[in-house]
């Protein structure tokens, strides 16, 4: 049985909304390369030679690049969820945020969500990601189990602990 188009649209809308919210947060949080780097690293990279206008253009480029990477990840997550759920009658979707910073997973990672749930990684994969503070997540149940889609951090199979 196929997933109703309405369910696909809802999952897609959730991912787009979460990605947009994260992009706005990142724009507000990213203080620019000069403040993000040590003075020595900033100088060694030759960035001190840029005018303030050129540095601002670089900062804007970095913000847009991160946003587009997150958008691509969100789109891939939705596509993956839709493809894998084709045999499910209707997916169950949980929307929340990871409490605190997310840096990736190590094969035994646990994720505490703002909604009070705790999820554990159920596949032995290790991946590091650039730190994201309290990233939005969508957890989708399919015929194969649960999969957590982390904005800015890919996706992974998980199981609920509490």
């Amino acid at each position: 049985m196929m997933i109703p188009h309405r369910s696909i649209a809802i999952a897609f809308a959730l991912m787009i909304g979460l990605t947009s919210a994260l992009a706005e947060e990142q724009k507000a949080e990213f203080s620019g390369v000069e403040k993000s780097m040590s003075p020595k690293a900033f100088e060694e990279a030759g960035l001190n030679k840029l005018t303030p206008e050129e540095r601002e253009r670089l900062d804007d480029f970095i913000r847009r690049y991160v946003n587009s990477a997150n958008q691509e990840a969100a789109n891939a997550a939705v596509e993956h969820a839709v493809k894998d759920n084709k045999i499910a009658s209707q997916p169950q979707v949980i929307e929340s945020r990871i409490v605190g910073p997310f840096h990736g997973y190590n094969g035994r990672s646990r994720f505490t969500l703002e909604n009070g749930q705790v999820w554990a990684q159920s596949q032995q994969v290790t991946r590091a990601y650039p730190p994201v503070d309290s990233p939005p997540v969508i957890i989708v149940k399919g015929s194969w189990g649960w999969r957590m889609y982390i904005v800015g951090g890919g996706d992974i199979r998980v199981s609920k602990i509490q």
Side-chain angles (χ1 to χ4, degrees):
M1 183 184 291
M2 296 286 287
I3 297 175
H5 290 290
R6 183 170 179 244
S7 297
I8 294 169
I10 290 170
F12 186 82
L14 287 172
M15 283 303 284
I16 297 302
L18 290 173
T19 303
S20 298
L22 181 62
E24 286 303 313
E25 286 177 22
Q26 286 176 337
K27 186 172 183 179
E29 291 175 11
F30 182 66
S31 58
V33 291
E34 186 171 12
K35 292 180 182 176
S36 299
M37 300 173 75
S38 70
K40 182 179 178 187
F42 186 78
E43 187 174 334
E44 287 174 349
L47 297 174
N48 58 323
K49 298 173 188 171
L50 298 175
T51 67
E53 293 80 20
E54 290 170 328
R55 281 195 303 272
E56 184 57 35
R57 283 197 296 268
L58 177 61
D59 292 342
D60 286 342
F61 169 79
I62 292 169
R63 288 181 190 113
R64 284 191 312 274
Y65 179 81
V66 169
N67 184 33
S68 69
N70 285 337
Q71 186 65 49
E72 288 175 25
N75 291 341
V78 169
E79 182 179 318
H80 185 70
V82 169
K83 181 184 87 176
D84 285 354
N85 280 316
K86 284 185 178 175
I87 59 172
S89 59
Q90 185 164 353
Q92 294 177 348
V93 178
I94 298 168
E95 176 186 356
S96 190
R97 287 180 168 272
I98 292 176
V99 174
F102 170 79
H103 303 278
Y105 32 85
N106 62 17
R108 298 179 315 273
S109 296
R110 290 180 178 224
F111 307 97
T112 301
L113 305 183
E114 285 182 346
N115 66 7
Q117 296 176 348
V118 179
W119 293 78
Q121 181 179 352
S122 61
Q123 67 187 104
Q124 299 301 310
V125 176
T126 299
R127 287 219 176 88
Y129 288 94
V132 179
D133 191 38
S134 301
V137 298
I138 291 180
I139 303 171
V140 179
K141 181 173 178 143
S143 59
W144 34 258
W146 294 93
R147 184 165 288 273
M148 178 184 291
Y149 297 89
I150 306 164
V151 175
D155 64 283
I156 189 161
R157 286 193 316 262
V158 292
S159 57
K160 188 174 178 184
I161 296 176
Q162 60 184 91

